[in-house]
Amino acid sequence: MNEHIAPALPDWQVSRWFNTEGPLRLADLRGRVVLIHAFQMLCPGCVAHGLPQAARVHQRFGGEGVAVVGLHCVFEHHEAMGPQALQAFIHEYRLRFPIGVDGPSPDGPVPRTMAQWRLQGTPSTLLLDRQGRLRLHHFGALDELHLGVAIGRLLAQPPADRSDVNASTADVAACADGACTIGR
Amino acid sequence: MNEHIAPALPDWQVSRWFNTEGPLRLADLRGRVVLIHAFQMLCPGCVAHGLPQAARVHQRFGGEGVAVVGLHCVFEHHEAMGPQALQAFIHEYRLRFPIGVDGPSPDGPVPRTMAQWRLQGTPSTLLLDRQGRLRLHHFGALDELHLGVAIGRLLAQPPADRSDVNASTADVAACADGACTIGR
Amino acid sequence: MNEHIAPALPDWQVSRWFNTEGPLRLADLRGRVVLIHAFQMLCPGCVAHGLPQAARVHQRFGGEGVAVVGLHCVFEHHEAMGPQALQAFIHEYRLRFPIGVDGPSPDGPVPRTMAQWRLQGTPSTLLLDRQGRLRLHHFGALDELHLGVAIGRLLAQPPADRSDVNASTADVAACADGACTIGR
Amino acid sequence: MNEHIAPALPDWQVSRWFNTEGPLRLADLRGRVVLIHAFQMLCPGCVAHGLPQAARVHQRFGGEGVAVVGLHCVFEHHEAMGPQALQAFIHEYRLRFPIGVDGPSPDGPVPRTMAQWRLQGTPSTLLLDRQGRLRLHHFGALDELHLGVAIGRLLAQPPADRSDVNASTADVAACADGACTIGR
């Protein structure tokens, strides 16, 4: 009876990958803490804050059990942020972590994953526990100390142990303001 | 058979307290994660980095189970950093967390606690787990993300549960360089 | 007999303008101090340092006799930095000063003005005096204090007075390192 | 008939000097642009902004005709900021430019020069032209670009030429907000 535990976040729908050898699924990352950074290459807050922060987490904690993935969620200026432009951007900004292009939607400008996950905009940061459940969801610049504490809490949970998740779920919402939410 | 677990850090030897109602002992903080910031009021790195960082941790995580304590470890310019000068400094820099004056030593310029804990200098940051054991010891400016992750790991440990401490001891040394050590 | 005074910088060759009512010529700015910021929209140093600095100069000294002009000198990733992408970039980064697209060259990837002025790369900052002569040319991030002093020196020269230019020419090279040169 | 030109700023009244070979008078600096930084060693804004800025001006433009002088204007916490404490502070913060202790007043806590010059508090920055006249007076953090432009304008004035001072007096008030004033 774990009715307070959210199910795993549904998978992204990515049309193209960079910095990977092949398509990546969320399920492939089970057992690791996952940081997803949703961005647009022409979004000033992403370039100034979000992407450098994701790169720092990747560089320092990538070997400690944290997987960092970028998701290019283009919902405006589509003509200026196609895959070719993104490739140049990734090259110029020396981004090393896997980056997926959120699949275009037939229904409007907002791409598929962004719509399904109900992201408010870019930059958005999502943090998943080792079981793939959403534990932190923040829109805007995310305080570095808060992000660190949230990552630390999730890293402390043993990969296969589901017994103590309930107890600490509430703790993870250690986030700066109302923009932080715990996974449903 | 817990021979790998360090004993609790021996208590500080403080000659005067600021921002407290009375003397504070390390044992009083058992059950909480403890951040100790050893500083000198005329140490540029303390003023620019260490004290503002300690203040951020106090402000954001003081209510989440983290106790922040400053320790004024004067080992040079004693005449310029007496308690009266420190009081003016605390007032001007709006420091709100408890601050103790490390007791002068009869043997030399290095004060008692600084000598006993073998601090290398200021700023030094120490992080204790809920059982009072030293888990991180860093000399110099401490990366905010690393500090956050280390705090988050310790916060995730249940206050009274000693059973899983061994398992995660190694994890806490998530620190930038050789200056970080795990409690003996 | 002013043989030490450089002639005015030859005009740019711009294929398209943004944030202007029509084409802009260097000669139109005679009488004002001119700051030209040569950039590429996917150049990290331009986005982080150069463009915000140019925007500050425009905002604070645009009304004091300093004209700020951006020049989009695309010499790599041409397909990702066309005029349409630049337009989105200008919109997202809220750039308000005139920006011209350096005209493509039939001879290679380096655009016309960039080649003629022998720019080393982006970001490059050029400062012209009220007579249109190059007085400072810096490649890379430019120290804010040095830029301010150089602008102040040029602003102090009366618009129509050519007599004291020789005397103060040497003064303008108040620049951080070897990357600064005085107009020939 | 130069009635709009302020007289030279009256000299400071300093009780002790650091970083000089002997007492320094304002008249000794005639012919140079002079930056005076009024500070207190326990003033956070001075430590974080004002003193590092003064040090940058000293380092980069000390050889170009700008004299930088610190003035320790203690008007509070006198017991914590005596000359011995200041000496330790100067040593720890590696300050290299001349620093004078504003002479205590028999009439109250505000020292003599601070009262005579009507400084509002610390940090305060004063800029004098080559004739010793006050041209910029700013209380609070001073924008680096504005300071640079103001210095550049004054450097551009020839040392002995008094004829064009009137014309450019108004130009020097290139300061961020109402806190900037031109010398009366």
Side-chain angles (χ1 to χ4, degrees):
Chain A
M1 285 283 294
N2 269 344
E3 74 271 16
H4 296 105
I5 300 294
L9 190 70
D11 208 2
W12 41 51
Q13 300 177 61
V14 163
S15 56
R16 181 166 170 186
W17 284 97
F18 295 92
N19 294 338
T20 64
E21 297 190 357
L24 200 63
R25 294 174 311 148
L26 262 178
D28 299 333
L29 306 173
R30 215 50 52 84
R32 303 167 72 183
V33 174
V34 180
L35 172 73
I36 303 170
H37 183 61
F39 73 103
Q40 293 183 104
M41 57 176 279
L42 293 186
C43 152
C46 304
V47 170
H49 300 291
L51 287 164
Q53 184 175 68
R56 285 193 296 273
V57 174
H58 175 66
Q59 183 180 17
R60 296 173 194 167
F61 294 97
E64 307 270 339
V66 181
V68 174
V69 179
L71 192 62
H72 197 224
C73 299
V74 180
F75 64 94
E76 56 188 350
H77 307 300
H78 293 80
E79 72 293 346
M81 296 192 274
Q84 201 173 21
L86 178 61
Q87 188 164 29
F89 177 84
I90 290 171
H91 175 80
E92 288 303 315
Y93 279 85
R94 313 291 193 258
L95 301 177
R96 313 292 191 202
F97 49 85
I99 292 175
V101 175
D102 193 3
S105 165
D107 302 329
V110 176
R112 290 170 179 271
T113 315
M114 189 177 190
Q116 186 182 16
W117 290 354
R118 295 193 174 81
L119 304 187
Q120 298 165 257
T122 58
S124 282
T125 303
L126 289 79
L127 205 56
L128 313 190
D129 64 19
R130 297 183 191 274
Q131 283 77 39
R133 294 169 301 206
L134 182 62
R135 303 299 289 276
L136 183 147
H137 178 180
H138 184 83
F139 170 54
L142 179 54
D143 178 79
E144 191 97 344
L145 188 64
H146 273 100
L147 176 61
V149 169
I151 289 173
R153 286 186 198 261
L154 294 180
L155 280 174
Q157 295 179 4
D161 182 2
R162 308 180 78 104
S163 65
D164 65 341
V165 172
N166 246 344
S168 61
T169 295
D171 291 340
V172 178
C175 196
D177 47 44
C180 289
T181 59
I182 307 170
R184 286 138 291 166
Chain B
M1 285 282 294
N2 267 345
E3 75 272 14
H4 296 105
I5 299 294
L9 190 71
D11 208 2
W12 41 52
Q13 300 176 63
V14 163
S15 57
R16 181 167 170 185
W17 284 98
F18 294 93
N19 293 339
T20 64
E21 296 189 357
L24 200 63
R25 296 175 310 151
L26 261 178
D28 299 333
L29 306 174
R30 213 53 49 84
R32 303 166 73 182
V33 173
V34 180
L35 172 74
I36 303 170
H37 182 62
F39 73 103
Q40 293 183 104
M41 58 176 278
L42 293 185
C43 152
C46 305
V47 170
H49 300 291
L51 286 165
Q53 185 175 66
R56 282 193 296 273
V57 174
H58 175 66
Q59 181 180 18
R60 296 174 194 166
F61 294 97
E64 308 269 340
V66 181
V68 174
V69 179
L71 192 62
H72 198 224
C73 298
V74 180
F75 64 94
E76 57 188 348
H77 308 300
H78 293 79
E79 71 294 346
M81 296 191 274
Q84 202 173 22
L86 178 62
Q87 187 165 30
F89 177 83
I90 290 171
H91 175 79
E92 288 303 315
Y93 279 85
R94 314 288 192 261
L95 301 176
R96 313 290 191 203
F97 48 85
I99 292 175
V101 176
D102 194 4
S105 165
D107 303 329
V110 176
R112 289 172 181 269
T113 315
M114 189 177 188
Q116 186 181 17
W117 289 356
R118 295 192 174 81
L119 304 187
Q120 299 165 256
T122 58
S124 282
T125 303
L126 290 79
L127 205 55
L128 313 189
D129 64 17
R130 297 183 190 274
Q131 283 78 40
R133 295 170 300 207
L134 183 61
R135 304 298 292 276
L136 183 147
H137 178 179
H138 184 83
F139 170 53
L142 178 55
D143 178 79
E144 191 97 344
L145 188 63
H146 273 99
L147 176 60
V149 169
I151 289 174
R153 286 186 197 261
L154 295 180
L155 280 175
Q157 295 179 5
D161 182 5
R162 308 179 79 103
S163 65
D164 64 342
V165 172
N166 245 345
S168 62
T169 295
D171 291 340
V172 178
C175 196
D177 48 46
C180 289
T181 59
I182 307 169
R184 287 140 291 169
Chain C
M1 282 283 295
N2 268 343
E3 73 274 14
H4 296 105
I5 298 294
L9 190 71
D11 208 2
W12 41 51
Q13 301 176 62
V14 163
S15 56
R16 180 168 171 185
W17 285 98
F18 294 92
N19 293 338
T20 64
E21 296 190 358
L24 200 64
R25 297 175 310 149
L26 263 178
D28 300 333
L29 306 173
R30 216 50 53 84
R32 304 166 72 182
V33 174
V34 180
L35 172 74
I36 302 171
H37 183 62
F39 73 102
Q40 293 183 104
M41 58 175 279
L42 293 185
C43 152
C46 304
V47 170
H49 300 290
L51 287 165
Q53 185 174 67
R56 283 192 296 274
V57 174
H58 175 65
Q59 182 180 18
R60 296 172 195 169
F61 294 96
E64 308 270 339
V66 181
V68 174
V69 179
L71 192 62
H72 198 223
C73 299
V74 180
F75 64 93
E76 57 189 349
H77 308 300
H78 293 80
E79 71 293 347
M81 296 192 274
Q84 201 173 22
L86 177 61
Q87 187 165 30
F89 177 83
I90 290 171
H91 175 79
E92 288 303 315
Y93 279 84
R94 313 291 193 257
L95 302 176
R96 313 290 191 203
F97 48 84
I99 292 175
V101 175
D102 193 3
S105 165
D107 302 329
V110 176
R112 290 171 180 268
T113 316
M114 188 175 189
Q116 187 181 16
W117 290 355
R118 293 193 176 80
L119 304 187
Q120 299 166 257
T122 58
S124 282
T125 303
L126 290 79
L127 205 55
L128 313 189
D129 64 17
R130 297 183 190 274
Q131 283 78 38
R133 295 169 302 207
L134 183 62
R135 304 297 290 276
L136 183 147
H137 178 179
H138 184 84
F139 170 54
L142 178 54
D143 178 78
E144 192 97 344
L145 188 62
H146 273 100
L147 176 60
V149 169
I151 289 173
R153 287 187 198 260
L154 295 180
L155 279 176
Q157 295 180 3
D161 181 4
R162 309 179 77 103
S163 65
D164 65 341
V165 172
N166 246 344
S168 62
T169 295
D171 291 340
V172 179
C175 195
D177 49 43
C180 289
T181 59
I182 308 170
R184 285 136 295 165
Chain D
M1 285 281 295
N2 267 343
E3 73 272 15
H4 296 105
I5 299 293
L9 190 71
D11 209 3
W12 41 52
Q13 300 176 63
V14 162
S15 56
R16 181 168 171 185
W17 283 98
F18 295 92
N19 294 338
T20 65
E21 297 189 357
L24 199 63
R25 295 174 311 148
L26 262 179
D28 299 333
L29 306 174
R30 215 49 51 85
R32 304 167 71 183
V33 173
V34 181
L35 172 74
I36 303 170
H37 182 62
F39 73 102
Q40 292 183 105
M41 58 176 277
L42 293 185
C43 152
C46 304
V47 170
H49 299 291
L51 286 164
Q53 185 175 68
R56 284 192 297 272
V57 174
H58 175 66
Q59 182 180 17
R60 296 174 194 167
F61 294 96
E64 307 271 340
V66 181
V68 174
V69 179
L71 191 63
H72 197 223
C73 298
V74 180
F75 64 93
E76 57 188 348
H77 308 300
H78 293 79
E79 71 292 346
M81 295 192 274
Q84 200 172 24
L86 178 62
Q87 187 165 30
F89 176 83
I90 289 171
H91 174 80
E92 289 302 317
Y93 279 86
R94 314 289 192 260
L95 301 177
R96 314 290 191 204
F97 48 85
I99 292 176
V101 175
D102 193 4
S105 165
D107 303 329
V110 177
R112 289 170 180 271
T113 315
M114 189 178 191
Q116 186 181 17
W117 290 356
R118 295 192 174 82
L119 304 187
Q120 298 166 257
T122 58
S124 282
T125 303
L126 289 78
L127 205 55
L128 313 189
D129 64 19
R130 298 184 190 273
Q131 282 78 39
R133 294 169 302 205
L134 182 62
R135 304 298 291 277
L136 183 147
H137 178 180
H138 184 84
F139 169 53
L142 178 54
D143 178 79
E144 192 97 344
L145 188 64
H146 273 99
L147 176 60
V149 168
I151 289 173
R153 286 185 197 261
L154 295 179
L155 281 174
Q157 296 179 4
D161 182 3
R162 307 179 82 101
S163 66
D164 64 341
V165 172
N166 245 343
S168 62
T169 295
D171 290 341
V172 179
C175 196
D177 47 45
C180 289
T181 59
I182 307 169
R184 284 139 293 165

